[in-house]
């Protein structure tokens, strides 16, 4: 098995399909391909998956080209195509979701006295199909992914057909062709063949097509579209796609039952025994973010993470100048900075930094290193799409801490040096604590800590060498996230 990239790509054809998926992905940021294709990349709350979104437009040819391009650029573990389709079976209702067990490219054939079909067929990835079946078994799979009060749609595992025309006639030569040669298909659409073919030729990247039924393909499309079934079907297909990804096991992930017992209480020195660090004998000096860069006036809640060296040689100005350019390159390669963001960089007497401040998007993020060897990064908390307020999601925060730890370890090589992590939310008075999924539908956003001012800081108390940190990122990230959330649950003890 090839190494996991931790990345998933979801393709859609129509804007409404794209928007249906985008609302379920946290913190999407734009990434541009050198040929001009625009992607967005975000996180799936509660998982370690990085999800890329792409809109390919209608048609198999465009789907094939952009699927191949995206796979080559991103190197995903799996690819999905989600959206709407016309229904071909009376037992598949409007709004139901079809997981394609096979995709038929139905236009291939030979015309003699009668038409002789020569279809090309792609089967669904066994792993993805099995994961979809497992996800759909949960009666609550759609509960957090669909608007409140909407029932989960029926999920069908059946073949679909993909051609080059939109089918919308009850009696036509095309309907006769489909009925005679592809009688088992449950849906008909116009991108699945190109997508499946490209995925099969790209080192057999696992691929799955998931479609919501928006019309009957029988001449009633205008009425069903007017009735809002396109939006319903797109949302249902997007929800199942996300449910499947959430059920996927990230290759290389250790199962929960194989890990050390997790601590039930959080204190200043409780760390999972598998990654116990060296207790600090004395406090380490720390430069918090606002000591490095003056905060801007409209800045919202921002998470900052630091690695403090126990014993590191002071960096020369020559090294600092080299690191100034390296911070931008590292940030872009790790998608911490997007390809289109304008990244500012500076070098001061004691530090160098690369950062983004986008007041229009309410986004602040940056990387920095001090002459003492402290490595720092920060990024704005994601905002609720339902209400413009930063959201501190415990699971998402833990995943981001893990990502940022890995980024900081790569920032500068200092052999035989231990590092102690420190974490903070600053400013911390205007934010709410809940899952990002709940924030999409909630009508109540209580201020965390009662809107009290001042940062929430997790001071360093243990140190690990860089190799240990890199190998134990999940456990260290979990411990830091637990300490952080403990501070928010105990507002009178907001500094540890």
């Amino acid at each position: 098995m090839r190494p996991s990239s931790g990345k998933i790509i979801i393709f859609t054809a129509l804007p409404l399909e794209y928007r249906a998926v985008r609302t379920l992905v946290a913190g999407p940021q734009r990434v541009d391909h050198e040929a001009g294709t625009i992607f967005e990349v975000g996180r799936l709350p509660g998982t370690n998956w990085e999800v890329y979104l792409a809109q390919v437009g209608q048609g198999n040819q465009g789907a094939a080209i952009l699927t191949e391009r995206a796979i080559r650029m991103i190197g995903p573990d799996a690819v999905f195509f989600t959206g709407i389709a016309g229904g071909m079976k009376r037992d598949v209702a409007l709004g139901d979701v079809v997981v394609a067990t096979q995709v038929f490219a139905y236009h291939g054939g030979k015309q003699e006295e009668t038409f002789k079909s020569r279809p090309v067929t792609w089967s669904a990835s066994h792993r993805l199909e099995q994961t979809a079946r497992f996800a759909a078994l949960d009666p609550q799979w759609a509960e957090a992914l669909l608007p409140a009060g909407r029932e989960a749609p029926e999920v069908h595992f059946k073949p679909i057909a993909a051609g080059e025309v939109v089918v919308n006639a009850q009696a036509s030569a095309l309907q006769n062709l489909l009925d005679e040669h592809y009688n088992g298909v449950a849906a008909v659409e116009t991108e699945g063949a190109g997508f499946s073919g490209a995925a099969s030729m790209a080192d057999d990247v696992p691929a799955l097509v998931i479609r919501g039924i928006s019309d009957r393909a029988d001449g009633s499309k205008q009425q069903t579209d007017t009735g809002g079934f396109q939006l319903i079907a797109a949302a249902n297909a997007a929800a199942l796609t996300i449910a499947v990804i959430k059920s996927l096991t990230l290759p290389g992930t250790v199962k929960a039952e194989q890990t050390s017992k997790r601590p039930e209480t959080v204190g200043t020195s409780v760390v999972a025994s598998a990654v116990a660090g060296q207790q600090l004998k004395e406090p380490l000096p720390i430069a918090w973010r606002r000591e490095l860069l003056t905060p801007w006036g409209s800045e919202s809640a921002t998470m900052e993470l630091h690695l403090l060296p126990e014993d590191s040689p002071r960096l020369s100005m020559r090294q600092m100048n080299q690191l100034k350019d390296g911070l931008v390159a590292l940030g872009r390669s790790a998608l911490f900075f997007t390809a289109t963001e304008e990244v500012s960089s500076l070098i001061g007497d004691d530090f160098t930094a690369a950062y983004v401040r986008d007041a229009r998007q309410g986004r602040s993020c940056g990387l920095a290193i001090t002459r003492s060897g402290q490595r720092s990064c920060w990024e704005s908390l994601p905002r609720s799409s339902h209400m413009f307020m930063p959201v501190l999601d415990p699971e998402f925060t833990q995943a981001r801490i893990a990502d940022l730890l890995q980024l900081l370890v790569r920032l500068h090589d200092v052999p035989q040096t231990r590092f102690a992590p420190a974490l903070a939310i600053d400013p911390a008075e205007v934010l709410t604590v809940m899952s990002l999924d709940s924030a999409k539908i909630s009508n109540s956003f209580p201020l965390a800590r009662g809107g009290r001012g001042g940062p929430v800081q997790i001071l360093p108390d243990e140190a690990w060498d860089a190799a240990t940190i890199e190998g134990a990122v999940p456990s260290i990230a979990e411990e830091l996230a637990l300490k952080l959330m403990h501070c928010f649950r105990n507002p009178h003890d907001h500094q540890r």
Side-chain angles (χ1 to χ4, degrees):
M1 180 183 292
R2 62 183 178 183
S4 169
S5 67
K7 300 174 181 178
I8 298 285
I9 307 176
I10 302 176
F11 297 93
T12 65
L14 303 176
L16 66 92
E17 298 167 339
Y18 187 92
R19 287 191 290 268
V21 178
R22 192 179 190 273
T23 60
L24 302 176
V25 176
Q29 300 292 328
R30 175 171 166 171
V31 177
D32 287 34
H33 186 275
E34 60 184 10
T37 305
I38 297 175
F39 301 89
E40 283 191 292
V41 58
R43 284 282 171 184
L44 200 56
T47 78
N48 290 323
W49 289 111
E50 196 171 45
V51 177
Y52 287 75
L53 310 180
Q55 185 180 171
V56 304
Q58 288 183 275
N60 285 294
Q61 182 176 2
I65 293 171
L66 295 184
T67 298
E68 189 276 335
R69 179 178 294 173
I71 289 173
R72 185 152 40 90
M73 170 188 171
I74 296 165
D77 288 353
V79 292
F80 292 80
F81 206 109
T82 186
I84 62 176
M88 300 294 291
K89 293 288 185 183
R90 288 297 167 185
D91 60 343
V92 180
L94 294 177
D96 283 3
V97 178
V98 176
V99 177
T101 55
Q102 292 176 295
V103 177
F104 293 103
Y106 65 80
H107 270 122
K110 182 179 181 182
Q111 183 67 58
E112 294 182 338
E113 291 183 2
T114 59
F115 181 80
K116 297 180 179 179
S117 179
R118 294 179 179 178
V120 181
T121 307
W122 296 272
S123 294
S125 156
H126 178 68
R127 178 187 178 211
L128 297 187
E129 182 186 333
Q130 285 291 299
T131 305
R133 291 181 184 276
F134 178 82
L137 287 174
D138 182 356
Q140 277 79 47
W141 70 262
E143 188 172 323
L145 300 172
L146 290 175
R150 183 183 296 180
E151 293 185 3
E154 290 292 326
V155 180
H156 307 267
F157 292 82
K158 296 178 180 293
I160 67 170
E164 298 301 330
V165 297
V166 176
V167 181
N168 186 36
Q170 188 169 16
S172 67
L174 186 52
Q175 278 281 13
N176 293 337
L177 168 69
L178 292 170
D179 183 60
E180 183 176 352
H181 297 282
Y182 305 95
N183 187 257
V185 303
V188 59
E189 43 99 321
T190 57
E191 295 83 30
F195 163 79
S196 300
S200 70
M201 290 188 287
D203 295 328
D204 283 325
V205 173
L208 192 66
V209 177
I210 297 177
R211 295 287 188 172
I213 302 302
S214 62
D215 62 84
R216 291 289 189 189
D218 62 356
S220 62
K221 181 174 172 57
Q222 183 175 357
Q223 289 87 348
T224 54
D225 288 356
T226 303
F229 281 98
Q230 280 193 330
L231 293 174
I232 293 171
N236 290 350
L240 182 63
T241 302
I242 296 301
V244 174
I245 297 172
K246 284 190 170 185
S247 296
L248 276 175
T249 302
L250 186 64
T253 300
V254 180
K255 296 291 187 181
E257 61 268 23
Q258 296 173 325
T259 60
S260 300
K261 183 178 180 180
R262 296 179 177 177
E264 296 181 359
T265 60
V266 180
T268 58
S269 62
V270 180
V271 180
S273 60
V275 290
Q278 182 73 38
Q279 287 286 330
L280 296 177
K281 295 180 180 178
E282 56 185 33
L284 293 176
I286 179 170
W288 297 103
R289 178 179 60 97
R290 62 175 55 242
E291 298 172 43
L292 299 174
L293 289 177
T294 304
W296 46 307
S298 59
E299 190 170 76
S300 65
T302 300
M303 181 172 70
E304 56 185 279
L305 180 66
H306 311 270
L307 287 181
L308 310 176
E310 263 194 310
D311 182 21
S312 174
R314 187 169 173 81
L315 298 175
S316 67
M317 288 304 294
R318 179 174 177 273
Q319 288 175 302
M320 297 295 282
N321 273 307
Q322 292 173 337
L323 285 167
K324 177 185 173 184
D325 296 329
L327 290 177
V328 178
L330 176 62
R332 289 206 189 279
S333 68
L335 299 179
F336 184 71
F337 304 130
T338 69
T340 57
E341 283 182 327
E342 182 179 348
V343 181
S344 302
S345 59
L346 62 85
I347 183 167
D349 293 337
D350 294 311
F351 75 97
T352 184
Y355 61 94
V356 170
R357 285 178 172 173
D358 187 342
R360 184 173 58 86
Q361 298 291 334
R363 172 168 157 78
S364 173
C365 62
L367 292 168
I369 186 166
T370 67
R371 294 191 70 182
S372 66
Q374 174 182 315
R375 314 171 189 197
S376 304
C377 61
W378 59 89
E379 66 178 10
S380 305
L381 293 183
R383 292 175 178 268
S384 162
S385 58
H386 184 58
M387 181 177 287
F388 200 63
M389 179 185 291
V391 177
L392 183 62
D393 178 332
E395 290 188 354
F396 177 78
T397 299
Q398 180 177 325
R400 287 306 292 157
I401 291 172
D403 293 337
L404 298 179
L405 276 173
Q406 291 175 328
L407 180 61
L408 290 182
V409 168
R410 294 168 52 196
L411 198 154
H412 180 57
D413 184 26
V414 183
Q416 299 179 340
T417 299
R418 287 196 298 262
F419 292 90
L423 181 68
I425 302 290
D426 183 21
E429 58 267 22
V430 181
L431 64 93
T432 188
V433 178
M434 64 173 62
S435 74
L436 287 165
D437 288 339
S438 297
K440 291 185 174 72
I441 59 175
S442 177
N443 292 317
S444 175
F445 290 83
L447 286 178
R449 304 168 66 237
R452 292 176 53 205
V456 169
Q457 297 173 344
I458 309 299
L459 300 177
D461 59 4
E462 290 187 277
W464 296 264
D465 61 76
T468 300
I469 292 175
E470 193 167 18
V473 157
S475 296
I476 296 174
E478 179 188 31
E479 179 64 15
L480 288 171
L482 286 171
K483 288 183 177 181
L484 180 66
M485 299 314 302
H486 179 69
C487 292
F488 278 93
R489 295 189 181 101
N490 295 273
H492 299 296
D493 184 22
H494 70 278
Q495 279 201 344
R496 304 206 63 82

